[in-house]
Amino acid sequence: RYVPLAVVHRVYERHPAIAAAAAKLPKRSTLTPAWEKDDPKRLVDLMETPWLELSRGRKTSLPIVDLFDTDLVARQKEDALAKLKAAQNPDGGFPWFAGGRSDPYITLLVLAGFSETQHYGVEAPAQLVGRAVRYELGELPRRLKPDQGELSLILYAAYVLTSFPEALSAKVPELAGARTLVKAWLDYADVHADAMTQLGKACAAWAYRRLGEKARSERYLDRAMDGAREEEGVGVYWQPEKLSWLWYNDSVETHAFVLRTLQNLRPKDPRIPGLVQWLVFSRKGTEWKSTKASAAAVFTLLDFMKARGALDKGDAFAVDWGSQHESATVGPEDWLATPLRWTRRAGEIGPDAARVKISKKGPGLAFVSATHVYTTETPAEESAPGLLRVHRLFFKRVKEGEDYRLKPLKSGEAVRVGDQVEVQLRIEAKSQFEYMHLKDPKAAGFEAETLTSGWVWDQLGRYEEPRDSLTNFFVSWLPHGEYVLRYRLRPTVAGRFRIGAATLQSMYAPEFAANSAGFELAVEE
């Protein structure tokens, strides 16, 4: 609690315009902001989804500190520091909970927090830091084991204990003495480099650079960047680590840490904007539910914005939409209650509305999307491959001996009343998304084999809701990857039936959507 309060307080002191803008922001009583209810891009009303309560903002019974209230931030900062000092045990370590046994990871976390505040010009309490460092120097040599978790702790310690500025080292002699031990820890970890995580490699790059070993630092920075992928729209990223809930595998925090390492040790690396793009994009499509990871991401973005001049200069947007020209300017101190949006409706939409050109000048990062909501008698075509894709296939299930095989059906082909038809919905996601709704219309003359709603956990956890005219799939968490959802129908009436496009859309960020092609089936007696 102390770290974000101290940093935000310092940002307010250095940027009065931002402090003045913060005072004007709307107040709320929820942890997260409410979703925009009347977004015209959202194809389904939130009341039809399981996320109506979530969309109003996450509630908590705990007191909320308003980081946009400058006076409250100043008072709470001092209160948090006093509680932090009281929590320190006689041996110098910090426990998970006040009064408990000292823990080396929690103590490193506290030290890393004070190092972070120093980065923004907030002075750290020398006595508290010295006692905590003394505890770590006695505890960590027992952790020299070739285990992934232990190596991660040792490398994190090497990063933290070398992160304090020389001005504080002069006041805390324990910090100066720690560098000799850190060098020994790093050399031990170097022997077991295969057991290092991505976060550990970035920590090693930082620590070796601070010890003056640039060649080793560069080598570990290269290793930390191994496996990075780049995709248009998404940016530069890594696939999530296994056991991603562990602190040293957290995707958002690790990504932010590696980005910050690259910004500081190799500031001209061309992958930096792409790494920032992924970090901001991940917040666009999902919530950051970990306060620790959120803080790491925000601090990293602050560094990036400061380096680009985005804390001092605004951005200018120009929109050329057929004969219509719009513009907008957003300064660093401006608050946008809703995204910039330009809309045309009904008779305003002509042939020239099919093309839109949007340009931006300024140091900031922005995402843009164009959405066309319409109805048509013509069978829809599958949307172009993008960040999301849904491809729908129909099969006739045929029994051969004791087994069944799937015979692919083309649009316009015929099946008979009572045949078993399997529908496959193949989803491709190039990033992680939350609160996804997949709506698959059902032909009028068909009935689903499964008639009850419920959770299904194969491949992709989702809640399935069969209705008379469609089947709903509610997916709370859609990881990066490819997935196939299946269900079966039986035709009950002869005739020729059109089937509308299946639509996949984020309820949290409705500009992310995709649709399948329409389909047609004939049913014979």
Side-chain angles (χ1 to χ4, degrees), residues 106-431:
I106 293 298
T107 306
L108 284 173
L109 195 64
V110 173
L111 287 170
F114 281 117
S115 169
E116 185 67 50
T117 61
Q118 293 241 299
H119 182 68
Y120 293 93
V122 180
E123 189 171 350
Q127 186 178 7
L128 182 151
V129 171
R131 292 172 62 201
V133 171
R134 245 189 337 267
Y135 165 79
E136 292 291 0
L137 295 181
E139 178 68 24
L140 287 169
R142 307 174 195 173
R143 307 285 177 148
L144 294 175
K145 300 173 184 177
D147 172 79
Q148 190 179 73
E150 300 289 13
L151 278 180
S152 295
L153 188 68
I154 287 294
L155 291 165
Y156 185 49
Y159 162 76
V160 171
L161 296 179
T162 58
S163 65
F164 290 93
E166 292 184 6
L168 185 65
S169 297
K171 300 178 184 178
V172 183
E174 293 88 350
L175 283 173
R179 290 188 169 240
T180 303
L181 284 175
V182 165
K183 177 66 167 63
W185 298 344
L186 286 171
D187 290 345
Y188 174 83
D190 189 46
V191 177
H192 304 284
D194 290 343
M196 287 187 188
T197 63
Q198 187 185 7
L199 180 65
K201 294 168 187 174
C203 286
W206 270 107
Y208 272 125
R209 183 66 61 94
R210 290 165 178 160
L211 294 176
E213 296 195 32
K214 185 176 179 180
R216 275 187 168 183
S217 172
E218 288 290 323
R219 189 168 74 246
Y220 271 107
L221 188 52
D222 287 338
R223 288 182 179 181
M225 294 302 298
D226 279 349
R229 299 175 59 182
E230 183 169 9
E231 289 190 36
E232 186 178 1
V234 178
V236 178
Y237 66 96
W238 295 265
Q239 295 284 22
E241 301 261 10
K242 64 177 182 178
L243 307 178
S244 58
W245 59 88
L246 295 171
W247 67 269
Y248 47 84
N249 282 338
D250 183 284
S251 295
V252 171
E253 187 174 359
T254 297
H255 188 102
F257 190 88
V258 175
L259 168 57
R260 199 170 195 183
T261 305
L262 204 61
Q263 284 186 124
N264 282 270
L265 304 188
R266 204 181 286 169
K268 295 184 179 179
D269 194 294
R271 293 168 290 188
I272 289 175
L275 288 165
V276 173
Q277 184 177 343
W278 183 92
L279 194 59
V280 178
F281 186 85
S282 74
R283 181 61 184 83
K284 187 77 177 162
T286 64
E287 294 176 338
W288 289 341
K289 296 181 177 64
S290 160
T291 52
K292 182 169 175 282
S294 299
V298 169
F299 294 150
T300 299
L301 292 172
L302 273 174
D303 275 3
F304 178 77
M305 292 170 70
K306 183 179 179 181
R308 298 256 301 219
L311 293 178
D312 304 302
K313 299 176 183 177
D315 294 288
F317 297 87
V319 181
D320 291 299
W321 193 357
S323 58
Q324 182 180 355
H325 177 80
E326 301 280 355
S327 62
T329 301
V330 182
E333 70 282 358
D334 291 336
W335 165 254
L336 295 179
T338 58
L340 294 174
R341 182 182 295 138
W342 292 271
T343 307
R344 287 186 181 185
R345 301 178 185 276
E348 300 173 332
I349 302 174
D352 66 335
R355 298 181 66 85
V356 57
K357 178 182 178 182
I358 301 177
S359 57
K360 181 186 77 69
K361 292 182 179 179
L365 178 68
F367 291 97
V368 60
S369 66
T371 303
H372 191 186
V373 182
Y374 62 95
T375 59
T376 176
E377 291 295 320
T378 305
E381 295 182 2
E382 185 172 303
S383 55
L387 301 175
L388 290 170
R389 187 183 183 191
V390 56
H391 182 59
R392 184 175 60 186
L393 299 169
F394 289 82
F395 299 89
K396 180 179 176 181
R397 198 162 180 259
V398 180
K399 189 171 184 179
E400 293 183 350
E402 296 298 318
D403 300 318
Y404 285 88
R405 72 178 181 87
L406 296 179
K407 177 185 175 184
L409 292 171
K410 295 180 180 179
S411 184
E413 286 191 335
V415 293
R416 292 187 175 277
V417 171
D419 281 347
Q420 198 174 43
V421 176
E422 180 169 305
V423 184
Q424 293 188 5
L425 298 159
R426 298 186 179 180
I427 299 171
E428 296 178 20
K430 290 188 177 180
S431 188

Side-chain angles (χ1 to χ4, degrees), residues 14 43 52 59 66 80 83 98 106 153 162 170 221 270 395 407 431 452 476 500 513:
R14 289 182 171 178
L43 302 178
L52 179 61
K59 297 180 175 63
D66 183 1
K83 290 179 179 177
I106 293 298
L153 188 68
T162 58
L221 188 52
F395 299 89
K407 177 185 175 184
S431 188
T452 55
S476 295

